[in-house]
Amino acid sequence: MSSATSAGKTLPGDPPPEGAPPGGRRAIAVWSIGVAVYFVAVIFRTSLGVAGLDAADRFHVNASALSTFSILQLLVYAGMQIPVGLLVDRLGTKKVLGIGVVLFTVGQLGFAFSPSYGMALASRALLGCGDAMTFISVLRLGTRWFPARRGPMVAQLAGLVGMAGNLVSTLVLARLLHGVGWTAAFAGSALAGVIVFVLLLLFLKDHPEGHEPEPLPHQGAAYVRRQIATSWREPGTRLGLWVHFSTQFPAMVFLLLWGMPFLVEAQGLSRATAGGLLTLVVLSNMTVGLVYGQLIARHHAARLPLALGTVGATALLWAATLAYPADHAPMWLLVVLCAVLGACGPASMIGFDFARPANPPERQGTASGITNMGGFVASMTTLFAVGVLLDATGDDYTVAFSSVFVLQAVGVSQILRLRKRAARRERERLVASRVETVHVPV
């Protein structure tokens, strides 16, 4: 006698479907190691955000040259996303994360001892290459160890831990930098890379026992082209990319480089006060991440309203801050701006919630890589635009930060163009999964 099961939605308390990863304590332990690697990568990535003014003095560079540090780092990061996605699909999480740890640790050490601007640039590029291998690997680790219904919350928690790394940069590394100096601060932080590398080698596993993925035959360039093309043809992948593009970059640009100079030079704040506002961005991100993860897990239809609402709120607060009719915006407005910027990171994670159901497990790495490119391309473009405009206008931050609105307009137009196609395709997949027969009569 045959029986069919529905592959529809499950409630939070339901057991995972047959064949799904089990989750549990073992999954949390293994996943935590991967997230620890991402945590350290974010510390290294954002370390320049609290050292921007020091870097300008150390290497005797102007705003455009200073922005080149972050632009090059993000250029490497964005350019590596699809290759890393393919590598994760091919080699698995542990190998790719291991390579990433080695690269970003060496990059951080190189930055600590760089005697020249050129060597410092090369170190940041190496750091960006290693950093690029972390987040997609952590997303893949989550899909291998947890049931699919946990996907939105697991992804948001990974992003939250990443922001905790940003918090370490803002609070700890900034104090070390001004306490023990450039070389000791950056070289000392590199020890964290060594620690997570040892943990990864000893304890991380790609998947639970009995849940090994189907081996993929090596197919060379044809396989690579097919993975990329098939992932890109899915409207959900492209929608995920543009959601990530539109939401992530305002906070990334602020935290990665230009927030401290804007608050100190344009708003007249002390470094301590500016550091407190950067910390507020991170704390807001961590809080909002938990809220967004719960909302999306319970109400899938909330994805797009949350993403577009975050873009609108960010644009409104930036406009109010930049257009304020006084030399400096009031503190209450800067506080609200930083609190709203904190929602950008969690909103960018929604992009993966569009790409994930649009692609089968064997394409998750590639699709995540495509999606993850969005926000970093937007961040890189805005970092460059702000630096060039600051030099061209004599440090007019109002003009420079107005470039944020241009990128937001481009991203929102693409989201609106793709949303109906992605929703229709997702409904078709859901209907097909619900009528799929699980047990075939023999």
Side-chain angles (χ1 to χ4, degrees):
M1 186 175 182
S2 65
S3 64
T5 62
S6 168
K9 294 181 180 179
T10 58
L11 296 175
D14 291 344
E18 184 179 351
R25 293 181 180 178
R26 173 67 172 158
I28 293 172
V30 173
W31 177 79
S32 296
I33 296 170
V35 172
V37 174
Y38 177 56
F39 172 77
V40 174
V42 173
I43 294 175
F44 292 0
R45 179 202 302 169
T46 58
S47 57
L48 187 61
V50 296
L53 297 175
D54 300 87
D57 293 337
R58 180 179 176 87
F59 300 112
H60 310 290
V61 294
N62 60 14
S64 296
L66 181 61
S67 67
T68 303
F69 277 122
S70 296
I71 291 167
L72 178 61
Q73 182 179 332
L74 293 184
L75 178 64
V76 172
Y77 187 105
M80 286 290 293
Q81 289 309 292
I82 292 177
V84 168
L86 291 164
L87 282 174
V88 171
D89 287 338
R90 169 65 60 180
L91 300 178
T93 301
K94 184 170 185 174
K95 291 180 181 178
V96 176
L97 271 180
I99 296 170
V101 174
V102 171
L103 291 177
F104 69 60
T105 302
V106 172
Q108 186 80 339
L109 273 174
F111 196 59
F113 294 102
S114 293
S116 65
Y117 176 68
M119 184 172 290
L121 275 179
S123 297
R124 294 307 286 186
L126 192 64
L127 192 157
C129 187
D131 183 17
M133 298 183 174
T134 58
F135 188 63
I136 294 175
S137 298
V138 171
L139 287 180
R140 174 62 173 264
L141 198 65
T143 63
R144 290 297 186 193
W145 281 89
F146 294 97
R149 70 177 185 274
R150 305 293 187 198
M153 179 54 69
V154 169
Q156 287 288 356
L157 285 173
L160 187 151
V161 174
M163 288 309 297
N166 204 323
L167 192 63
V168 170
S169 291
T170 305
L171 296 179
V172 180
L173 190 59
R175 293 187 180 185
L176 281 175
L177 186 65
H178 299 113
V180 300
W182 179 281
T183 301
F186 281 101
S189 67
L191 292 174
V194 177
I195 293 171
V196 293
F197 183 67
V198 172
L199 291 175
L200 182 152
L201 288 180
L202 293 178
F203 302 112
L204 192 135
K205 291 185 64 176
D206 283 343
H207 47 74
E209 292 182 9
H211 292 269
E212 294 82 1
E214 294 269 343
L216 293 173
H218 181 68
Q219 295 172 314
Y223 164 79
V224 171
R225 287 193 298 268
R226 185 165 58 252
Q227 285 283 93
I228 296 172
T230 309
S231 296
W232 181 255
R233 280 198 295 269
E234 289 291 345
T237 304
R238 283 176 282 146
L239 180 59
L241 179 146
W242 287 110
V243 167
H244 201 268
F245 178 100
S246 306
T247 52
Q248 187 202 48
F249 78 94
M252 177 69 71
V253 169
F254 198 77
L255 290 171
L256 199 60
L257 183 61
W258 290 123
M260 181 70 78
F262 170 75
L263 295 171
V264 173
E265 296 178 355
Q267 299 301 319
L269 303 180
S270 67
R271 286 197 182 203
T273 304
L277 287 174
L278 294 179
T279 303
L280 174 61
V281 177
V282 178
L283 293 175
S284 173
N285 182 297
M286 297 170 73
T287 303
V288 174
L290 291 174
V291 174
Y292 278 18
Q294 288 285 358
L295 282 173
I296 295 169
R298 296 170 183 269
H299 308 285
H300 218 45
R303 291 174 300 172
L304 205 54
L306 287 174
L308 292 175
T310 302
V311 174
T314 304
L316 178 64
L317 266 297
W318 263 123
T321 302
L322 297 177
Y324 194 81
D327 290 340
H328 301 144
M331 179 57 72
W332 69 263
L333 183 54
L334 295 176
V335 168
V336 176
L337 170 66
C338 290
V340 171
L341 285 175
C344 291
S348 71
M349 301 298 297
I350 296 172
F352 298 101
D353 291 320
F354 286 106
R356 189 184 303 112
N359 293 272
E362 64 270 15
R363 286 207 311 267
Q364 288 294 320
T366 306
S368 296
I370 293 172
T371 300
N372 209 28
M373 282 181 64
F376 289 93
V377 169
S379 298
M380 179 178 58
T381 303
T382 310
L383 283 166
F384 176 74
V386 170
V388 169
L389 290 170
L390 284 174
D391 286 339
T393 60
D395 291 339
D396 188 330
Y397 280 89
T398 299
V399 174
F401 272 103
S402 293
S403 57
V404 169
F405 306 124
V406 178
L407 274 292
Q408 286 181 322
V410 171
V412 169
S413 67
Q414 293 300 312
I415 291 172
L416 296 177
R417 183 178 68 86
L418 289 164
R419 72 189 194 285
K420 289 184 179 179
R421 273 184 280 174
R424 184 171 60 249
R425 179 70 172 144
E426 195 169 296
R427 284 195 301 270
E428 290 171 355
R429 284 183 177 274
L430 182 60
V431 170
S433 67
R434 282 177 171 169
V435 300
E436 180 180 315
T437 299
V438 174
H439 298 293
V440 179
V442 293

